[in-house]
Amino acid sequence: MPIIFDEINRSFDLIAKDTQYSFYIDQMGYLCHAYFGKKLAKLNIDTFMQLTKRAYGSNISLDLIPQEYPSYGSTDFRSPAFQIQLEDGSTISDLRYRAHKIYAGKPAIDGLPSTYVEKMSEAQTIEIYMYDELAKLEVTLFYTVFEDFNAITRSVKFKNIGNMDIRILRVLSANIDFLGDNFLMLQLSGAWARERHVFLRDIVPGIQSIESRRGASSHQQNPFIALMTDESDEWHGDVYGFNLIYSGNFLAQVEVDFYHNTRVSIGINPFDFSWLLRSGESFQAPETVIVYSDTGLDGMSNTYHKLYRTRLARGRYRDAERPVLINNWEATYFNFDEKKLLEIAREAKETGIELFVLDDGWFGKRNSDNSSLGDWYVNTEKLPNGLDGLVKKINELGLKLGLWIEPEMISPDSELYRAHPDWCIHVPGRARHTMRNQLILDLSRDDVCNYVINTITKLLKSADISYVKWDMNRNMTETGSAKLPPERQRETAHRYILNLYKIMEEITGRFPDILFEGCAGGGGRFDPGMLYYMPQIWASDDTDAVERLKIQWGTSIVYPQIMMGSHVSAIPNHQVGRITPIEMRLSVAMAANFGFELDLSKLSGHDKASIKASIENYKEMRKIIQFGEFHRLLDPFKGNETAWIISSEDKREFLLYYYRILNGPNEFPRILKIKGIDTSLQYLLTDTDTVYGGDELTFRGIILPQIEKDFQSFIMHFKAI
């Protein structure tokens, strides 16, 4: 059984395929952490209980005890997992064990995205009921073990079972106390156009953290951290991953105490947050996915990839191959009409593209980014036959039509704003600062949510739309709501996210045949919360092939390639001005969901032929690329080369991607060792007669083709014989 309770020691063992997570109830009723790591034949829980006895000598000192969900105000001076405030103003709490329940399967989390099971036998869940007697607060800790996926999820629910109000000041979803501090901390950080770059640093005494205060998970930080032991790398050593299924303000924190022990905690950012919990009310925190690997980052990544692809993503497109698309944004920006769109679509059809996506500028009076968000009706000056007329013409060409929308935003210059100026996020009397000439609709309000649901439903019913790119280009400032009372103003940001999830659940449920792609100025909200509703996300607005190597490498640390949108764009690149050959731009984009953002009619015959051939090849390899295992080989953050492979799950077929940025003089051919394949198989390099042993490729390597110019790349296709 995945979850075992030892009644004598009052201990719990949560056991996945190769992972064990253990904790126990001490004599005072505290829930104490014992072990997280490689599955053991036997864990001597007594050795951990000695820590408790030491802490309870003559004076209780919770500082000495590794805890599962620590509280504030007693004898633990480290950062707590939660903090509450009672009506008398006190902020001290004391949780003790009361009972627990173990059962098969996994419950859905009300109002929040989460992982799920298709069969009850896939997972086992334990609910542990903790209680603060004075506060009359019940806290339920949820742990689910995905046995075959080798993953554990955690979440927490608060319930006020007393007669007085409780204010939640801090509520994190998971906490783990590790003995020792021989760890490095890995994070995925950056900015617009350089999202999810990999940063690795030593941890030191004190607090090191990442967070977002922007109302979204953000370009700047991803709601993920990992601890790696000193000797760990891509393929070796212990790695502990923590990923929050949430799209708003978050905190991920590592604290090293004066005993050199390490506390990891992750959840909703307590900055500018509180939640009023009246008698009988509950509060549910988001879910955290925890993954342990003893085979380095590669093992951790592939656990996340498999779990998210099959037990986080949902709907028709979860297991369906994704279409090759072209988006008109970088080809036309706002300057287009139906004639120009059809011209691009005809060229696209000739190359084998399957989906045409109409981006920003088709609605209201939208001829630049300074108006019309919220006015979701067709600009008939650009599209005289409306969306339905355009769809029919696109369909006649043999393509499907997709559409860009930004439903969460409102332009000050819009009919919607003039009718409802109080519908935006704002604080009365304060300036309403615009970013990208727009404000944010106040989704904490039910009337605003109903408007969004009804308007987008009407829009998507008006034409045969096959794909929706759901964008969000502004972070939250002047955070407040005209509808919420003063005591609930600091709930605004979280209520926004809860109602955003409600809107997305409603819209995607009404249109199950539409492929939804998330976007937030590129990759500003690339998180598991979004992926629950939309099975793919535009990875970055930066379409430069060289920059995309780092972005896609970093994204792959947690998220599978099928969830990344990656497109070929024109040169000089619109973000960095770099000129790269079409072959490199194609090979980078072909490592994820393949698409284009350029005017095909302006390309040379050579480039058009390269695109057509690449699309044909991609379609042949699409199943492996989108659903295969991703293994990183050469790190773009460490040198001039990048390489990775994507292999079929049975290892009988794989694609080797290699990229070299700058050429050098008089260089000897490189040998690259392949990882992640079956060493017992023989592999044919397609389009040649050369056969390699899997062991040869792994331990001796393959001699790479000679590079003769800057910005060179290739894809090699191997099949087992």
Side-chain angles (χ1 to χ4, degrees), residues 494-541:
H494 183 59
R495 287 183 179 274
Y496 179 98
I497 294 297
L498 291 178
N499 277 346
L500 173 62
Y501 291 151
K502 177 182 176 182
I503 290 169
M504 289 182 167
E505 181 73 19
E506 189 70 27
I507 295 295
T508 58
R510 290 182 182 184
F511 300 94
D513 293 329
I514 291 179
L515 171 58
F516 286 86
E517 178 174 276
C519 180
R525 207 162 57 184
F526 203 122
D527 60 66
M530 288 293 106
L531 291 167
Y532 181 76
Y533 302 98
M534 301 181 182
Q536 62 189 58
I537 295 175
W538 179 225
S540 177
D541 277 350

Side-chain angles (χ1 to χ4, degrees), residues 103-104 122 162 171 237-238 298 357 380 400 403 420 504 554 576 596 604:
Y103 52 90
E122 290 178 0
V171 54
D238 295 332
D298 179 81
V357 179
T380 53
K400 294 183 177 180
L403 194 65
H420 300 284
M504 289 182 167
V576 301
F596 296 82
S604 67

Side-chain angles (χ1 to χ4, degrees), residues 199-260:
F199 291 88
L200 188 63
R201 53 171 156 158
D202 293 319
I203 63 170
V204 297
I207 292 174
Q208 36 262 290
S209 65
I210 60 169
E211 64 176 347
S212 174
R213 304 179 181 186
R214 295 170 173 265
S217 50
S218 83
H219 297 275
Q220 288 70 23
Q221 307 290 353
N222 196 262
F224 164 83
I225 57 173
L227 288 186
M228 304 173 62
T229 51
D230 292 341
E231 70 279 3
S232 299
D233 58 21
E234 187 68 42
W235 294 91
H236 308 93
D238 295 332
V239 179
Y240 306 85
F242 305 85
N243 196 200
L244 185 68
I245 304 182
Y246 189 62
S247 307
N249 296 333
F250 75 91
L251 172 69
Q253 178 175 292
V254 177
E255 181 176 7
V256 178
D257 68 15
F258 59 97
Y259 290 115
H260 297 283

